[in-house]
Amino acid sequence: GKTFISYYIMEQCLRTDDDGLVVFVAPTKALVYQVWAEVKARFSKSYQGGGKLSGVFTRDHRENVMDCQILVTVPQCLSILLLSAEEDNVQWASRIRHVIFDEVHMLGSGGGEVR
């Protein structure tokens, strides 16, 4: 049930405009890639001006991070984006409408380490 609520939030953001951003935070790279694949399979959208539907940011892979509407990432990479004072990152952060923490009980328990 909780996972479907996440996808509902994503769909609502995609329908609202072309600029809003949902950040999905998963505790492991494996789960990041699983969710990213599901997002790409579940949603589609056409953009004028070069926007992208989804992006991913892990230590090993960075794709469409700054110009997507749904970013799937790990906590450490989200911290990098939020704590940077660079102008691009400040503008990126202002687009955030929702942050979804999946498996939040794993964060900070050693299970949230990037593997």
Side-chain angles (χ1 to χ4, degrees):
K2 296 178 295 240
T3 302
F4 291 108
I5 293 169
S6 299
Y7 294 128
Y8 174 78
I9 294 291
M10 292 174 192
E11 182 177 0
Q12 292 305 306
C13 186
L14 293 171
R15 287 177 186 238
T16 300
D17 58 37
D18 290 346
D19 193 50
L21 174 63
V22 174
V23 181
F24 188 98
V25 183
T28 65
K29 285 192 308 184
L31 191 52
V32 164
Y33 292 123
Q34 179 182 341
V35 170
W36 188 40
E38 179 68 24
V39 166
K40 291 192 299 184
R42 186 178 285 262
F43 301 112
S44 64
K45 185 172 179 177
S46 296
Y47 293 89
Q48 294 181 339
K52 305 287 186 210
L53 180 112
S54 65
V56 66
F57 187 14
T58 67
R59 185 182 65 205
D60 303 325
H61 188 158
R62 185 178 178 139
E63 185 174 327
N64 302 328
V65 173
M66 302 307 272
D67 61 351
C68 67
Q69 277 199 274
I70 301 170
L71 177 67
V72 187
T73 189
V74 291
Q76 296 82 354
C77 293
L78 177 60
S79 293
I80 290 168
L81 291 168
L82 292 176
L83 297 176
S84 171
E86 292 181 30
E87 182 62 28
D88 286 348
N89 289 36
V90 172
Q91 289 178 356
W92 174 86
S94 72
R95 296 177 42 231
I96 296 174
R97 301 296 180 264
H98 302 278
V99 179
I100 300 166
F101 288 92
D102 193 32
E103 304 293 340
V104 71
H105 62 277
M106 292 181 64
L107 300 178
S109 67
E113 296 174 16
V114 178
R115 296 181 210 143

